[in-house]
Amino acid sequence: MARGGWRWVRGLLAVGHPLFQGRALLVTNTLGCGTLMAAGDAARQSWEIHARPGQAFSPRRSASMFAVGCTMGPFLHYWYLWLDGFFPAAGFRGLPNIIRKVLVDQMVASPLLGVWYFLGVGCLEGQTLEHSYRELREKFWDLYKADWCVWPAAQLVNFLFVPSQFRVTYINALTLGWDTYLSYLKYRVSTVGGHHGAPGRPRGGRGILRTAPGGTAGGGDSEQEGLQAQRLVDQSAEG
């Protein structure tokens, strides 16, 4: 039984091997980024639907995430090629250059991809550039602080142990949870000019579903508070 299982794994690896060579590697990295970003958004939407009855799944929202992810794939593909060429390193003997890679990645690629993410998704969803910029200013530091908590250690493992042709795939495998966080950050209620929202999600007015600090759902709280305030006003007027 064990032998059969290993034979199946070896066969699967043999089939997938051409996807990580030559020009096919660029396609693999591009589609992998898009697919995992859409999957992270789908996971986040599933949680939102469970926590907020009445919210519907939005295929357009996940499609936007897929499209932005696909634009990031080629960048990451060539970015890692450049890092490996500029800071050659192999194993623990190359640790100083590996640390340099991690720092350059955090200080250059991470903020660039954060800006890319907010402006890209905002553009696909019809936000104005001004609105996307204000949203970016509001949420960027939350994103960047979380990035420093997660990715330096992950990239240290990446540059130490992962063969160069698998670097983007390794990152994609880790980003399912990260992309779920990105989706939460993007679609949480904004304090700047109201929340843009997404197709399938109630927008503005009395139907808005809010997220309380810490990511817990609190849908309908503002409406209840408004009704209570109106009752007090009516009672005062009657008095």
Short mmCIF file of all heavy atoms in Angstrom, two decimals, residues 6 19 76 80 87 92 94 105 118 170-171 173 178 181 187 191 193 196 216-218:
data_model
loop_
_atom_site.label_atom_id
_atom_site.label_comp_id
_atom_site.label_asym_id
_atom_site.label_seq_id
_atom_site.Cartn_x
_atom_site.Cartn_y
_atom_site.Cartn_z
N TRP A 6 3.65 5.89 -2.81
CA TRP A 6 4.85 6.59 -3.29
C TRP A 6 4.92 6.60 -4.80
O TRP A 6 5.39 7.57 -5.41
CB TRP A 6 6.10 5.93 -2.69
CG TRP A 6 6.41 6.40 -1.31
CD1 TRP A 6 6.36 5.68 -0.16
CD2 TRP A 6 6.80 7.72 -0.93
NE1 TRP A 6 6.69 6.45 0.92
CE2 TRP A 6 6.97 7.71 0.48
CE3 TRP A 6 7.02 8.91 -1.63
CZ2 TRP A 6 7.36 8.84 1.19
CZ3 TRP A 6 7.41 10.04 -0.93
CH2 TRP A 6 7.57 10.00 0.46
N LEU A 19 6.01 21.83 -15.70
CA LEU A 19 5.41 23.12 -15.37
C LEU A 19 6.39 24.07 -14.67
O LEU A 19 6.12 25.26 -14.55
CB LEU A 19 4.18 22.92 -14.47
CG LEU A 19 3.03 22.10 -15.06
CD1 LEU A 19 1.95 21.90 -14.01
CD2 LEU A 19 2.46 22.79 -16.29
N LEU A 76 6.74 38.68 -9.30
CA LEU A 76 7.44 37.81 -8.35
C LEU A 76 8.41 36.87 -9.06
O LEU A 76 9.51 36.59 -8.56
CB LEU A 76 6.42 37.02 -7.54
CG LEU A 76 5.59 37.83 -6.54
CD1 LEU A 76 4.49 36.96 -5.93
CD2 LEU A 76 6.47 38.41 -5.45
N TYR A 80 12.40 37.28 -7.96
CA TYR A 80 13.24 36.27 -7.34
C TYR A 80 14.44 35.91 -8.21
O TYR A 80 15.53 35.61 -7.69
CB TYR A 80 12.42 35.02 -7.01
CG TYR A 80 11.48 35.22 -5.85
CD1 TYR A 80 10.14 34.90 -5.94
CD2 TYR A 80 11.94 35.76 -4.64
CE1 TYR A 80 9.27 35.10 -4.89
CE2 TYR A 80 11.08 35.97 -3.59
CZ TYR A 80 9.75 35.63 -3.71
OH TYR A 80 8.90 35.84 -2.65
N PHE A 87 22.24 38.58 -5.22
CA PHE A 87 22.74 38.09 -3.93
C PHE A 87 22.88 36.57 -3.97
O PHE A 87 22.09 35.84 -3.37
CB PHE A 87 21.78 38.48 -2.79
CG PHE A 87 21.56 39.95 -2.64
CD1 PHE A 87 20.38 40.54 -3.09
CD2 PHE A 87 22.51 40.74 -2.04
CE1 PHE A 87 20.17 41.90 -2.94
CE2 PHE A 87 22.30 42.11 -1.88
CZ PHE A 87 21.13 42.69 -2.34
N PHE A 92 23.69 27.53 4.53
CA PHE A 92 23.99 28.40 5.67
C PHE A 92 25.26 29.21 5.45
O PHE A 92 25.44 30.24 6.09
CB PHE A 92 24.10 27.57 6.94
CG PHE A 92 22.76 27.08 7.45
CD1 PHE A 92 22.33 25.80 7.15
CD2 PHE A 92 21.95 27.92 8.21
CE1 PHE A 92 21.11 25.36 7.61
CE2 PHE A 92 20.73 27.48 8.67
CZ PHE A 92 20.30 26.20 8.37
N GLY A 94 25.91 30.89 2.94
CA GLY A 94 25.49 32.13 2.29
C GLY A 94 24.51 32.94 3.12
O GLY A 94 23.80 33.80 2.59
N ASP A 105 13.75 42.32 0.16
CA ASP A 105 12.39 41.90 -0.19
C ASP A 105 11.36 42.63 0.66
O ASP A 105 10.33 43.10 0.16
CB ASP A 105 12.26 40.39 0.00
CG ASP A 105 10.92 39.85 -0.46
OD1 ASP A 105 10.68 39.82 -1.68
OD2 ASP A 105 10.10 39.47 0.40
N PHE A 118 -4.00 47.31 -3.38
CA PHE A 118 -5.13 48.20 -3.11
C PHE A 118 -5.55 48.98 -4.36
O PHE A 118 -6.74 49.11 -4.64
CB PHE A 118 -4.78 49.17 -1.98
CG PHE A 118 -4.92 48.56 -0.62
CD1 PHE A 118 -3.81 48.22 0.13
CD2 PHE A 118 -6.18 48.32 -0.08
CE1 PHE A 118 -3.94 47.66 1.39
CE2 PHE A 118 -6.33 47.75 1.18
CZ PHE A 118 -5.19 47.42 1.90
N TYR A 170 6.27 28.06 -3.54
CA TYR A 170 6.35 27.99 -2.07
C TYR A 170 5.59 29.15 -1.43
O TYR A 170 4.80 28.97 -0.51
CB TYR A 170 7.82 28.00 -1.66
CG TYR A 170 8.07 28.34 -0.20
CD1 TYR A 170 7.93 27.39 0.79
CD2 TYR A 170 8.45 29.64 0.17
CE1 TYR A 170 8.16 27.70 2.13
CE2 TYR A 170 8.68 29.96 1.49
CZ TYR A 170 8.54 28.99 2.47
OH TYR A 170 8.76 29.31 3.78
N ILE A 171 5.83 30.37 -1.95
CA ILE A 171 5.14 31.54 -1.42
C ILE A 171 3.64 31.41 -1.64
O ILE A 171 2.83 31.70 -0.75
CB ILE A 171 5.68 32.82 -2.09
CG1 ILE A 171 7.11 33.09 -1.64
CG2 ILE A 171 4.79 34.02 -1.76
CD1 ILE A 171 7.28 33.28 -0.16
N ALA A 173 1.90 28.72 -1.79
CA ALA A 173 1.35 27.73 -0.87
C ALA A 173 1.10 28.33 0.51
O ALA A 173 0.14 27.97 1.20
CB ALA A 173 2.30 26.53 -0.77
N TRP A 178 -2.64 34.16 4.19
CA TRP A 178 -2.32 35.58 4.05
C TRP A 178 -3.32 36.28 3.14
O TRP A 178 -3.75 37.39 3.42
CB TRP A 178 -0.91 35.72 3.50
CG TRP A 178 -0.48 37.14 3.28
CD1 TRP A 178 -0.31 37.76 2.08
CD2 TRP A 178 -0.16 38.11 4.28
NE1 TRP A 178 0.09 39.07 2.27
CE2 TRP A 178 0.20 39.31 3.60
CE3 TRP A 178 -0.14 38.10 5.67
CZ2 TRP A 178 0.57 40.46 4.28
CZ3 TRP A 178 0.23 39.25 6.35
CH2 TRP A 178 0.58 40.41 5.66
N TYR A 181 -6.39 37.17 4.88
CA TYR A 181 -6.21 38.41 5.64
C TYR A 181 -6.28 39.62 4.71
O TYR A 181 -6.90 40.64 5.06
CB TYR A 181 -4.87 38.39 6.38
CG TYR A 181 -4.51 39.74 6.96
CD1 TYR A 181 -5.16 40.23 8.09
CD2 TYR A 181 -3.52 40.53 6.36
CE1 TYR A 181 -4.85 41.47 8.61
CE2 TYR A 181 -3.21 41.78 6.88
CZ TYR A 181 -3.87 42.24 8.01
OH TYR A 181 -3.56 43.47 8.51
N TYR A 187 -11.82 44.58 2.47
CA TYR A 187 -13.27 44.71 2.49
C TYR A 187 -13.84 45.01 3.87
O TYR A 187 -15.05 44.96 4.05
CB TYR A 187 -13.91 43.44 1.91
CG TYR A 187 -13.60 43.30 0.45
CD1 TYR A 187 -12.63 42.41 0.01
CD2 TYR A 187 -14.25 44.09 -0.50
CE1 TYR A 187 -12.32 42.30 -1.34
CE2 TYR A 187 -13.95 43.99 -1.84
CZ TYR A 187 -12.98 43.08 -2.26
OH TYR A 187 -12.67 42.99 -3.59
N THR A 191 -13.08 53.97 7.18
CA THR A 191 -13.50 55.22 7.83
C THR A 191 -13.31 56.41 6.92
O THR A 191 -13.63 57.53 7.30
CB THR A 191 -12.68 55.44 9.12
OG1 THR A 191 -11.28 55.54 8.77
CG2 THR A 191 -12.88 54.31 10.10
N GLY A 193 -14.49 58.21 3.74
CA GLY A 193 -15.47 58.37 2.68
C GLY A 193 -16.45 57.23 2.54
O GLY A 193 -16.97 56.98 1.48
N HIS A 196 -16.34 51.23 0.32
CA HIS A 196 -16.68 50.99 -1.09
C HIS A 196 -17.48 49.72 -1.25
O HIS A 196 -18.36 49.62 -2.08
CB HIS A 196 -15.39 50.90 -1.92
CG HIS A 196 -15.62 50.42 -3.31
ND1 HIS A 196 -16.21 51.21 -4.27
CD2 HIS A 196 -15.38 49.23 -3.89
CE1 HIS A 196 -16.30 50.53 -5.40
NE2 HIS A 196 -15.79 49.33 -5.20
N THR A 216 -14.46 40.90 14.26
CA THR A 216 -15.70 40.23 14.59
C THR A 216 -16.86 40.96 13.96
O THR A 216 -16.88 42.17 13.87
CB THR A 216 -15.90 40.17 16.12
OG1 THR A 216 -15.84 41.50 16.63
CG2 THR A 216 -14.81 39.33 16.77
N ALA A 217 -17.83 40.21 13.55
CA ALA A 217 -18.96 40.82 12.85
C ALA A 217 -19.86 41.49 13.85
O ALA A 217 -20.14 41.00 14.92
CB ALA A 217 -19.73 39.75 12.07
N GLY A 218 -20.40 42.64 13.44
CA GLY A 218 -21.33 43.35 14.31
C GLY A 218 -22.44 43.93 13.49
O GLY A 218 -22.85 45.06 13.71
#
